[in-house]
Amino acid sequence: MVAQGVRFDSAPDSAFGPIWCAWGYGRKITPSQIYGALPIVKKLGFTWVTLDDGWQTAQGDWFLQPQKFPHGDGDMRALVDNIHAEGFKAQLWWAPLAADPGTELVKKHPEMLLLNADGSKQKISYWNSWYLCPAQPDVVAYHTAIVVKAIKD
């Protein structure tokens, strides 16, 4: 990208702070577990808190789990606000270009899948997921909307 004239500002030192990741609780993580861990996370000197895999309904269907976030976006905003109020920066785990078989996305938009030369779906070797095609404009728009929602909303 630099060769094409794209220039990036240097990342601030705060971008390199130590990260606590909720993955220790696995996919069954709940917001109350994160709230409960924050005092210890602070004592240990972490500056970032990551909500890892398990917040979403499936890879590809990046909707909040209704059991964990019964009030939807409001619950997620409250979690992020709490993380920030405790002095941390918040991160959200996400696997762009991954879609689990059987997801709403794959059912409604099979044309978004990345295909092999023989027409078969390109499988992610370490998950039971398929790749979405990064050259497909609808895939780009789908992911752009997710990023805008995660950062802005």
Side-chain angles (χ1 to χ4, degrees), residues 6 26 29 35 65 73 79 84 90 98 104 114 142 153:
V6 177
I29 184 71
Y35 292 136
Q65 288 248 2
D73 290 351
L79 176 61
H84 289 161
E104 183 179 312
L114 180 63
Y142 179 70
D153 297 339

Side-chain angles (χ1 to χ4, degrees), residues 50-61:
T50 302
L51 175 56
D52 209 316
D53 191 6
W55 62 268
Q56 79 287 357
T57 54
Q59 291 172 43
D61 287 348

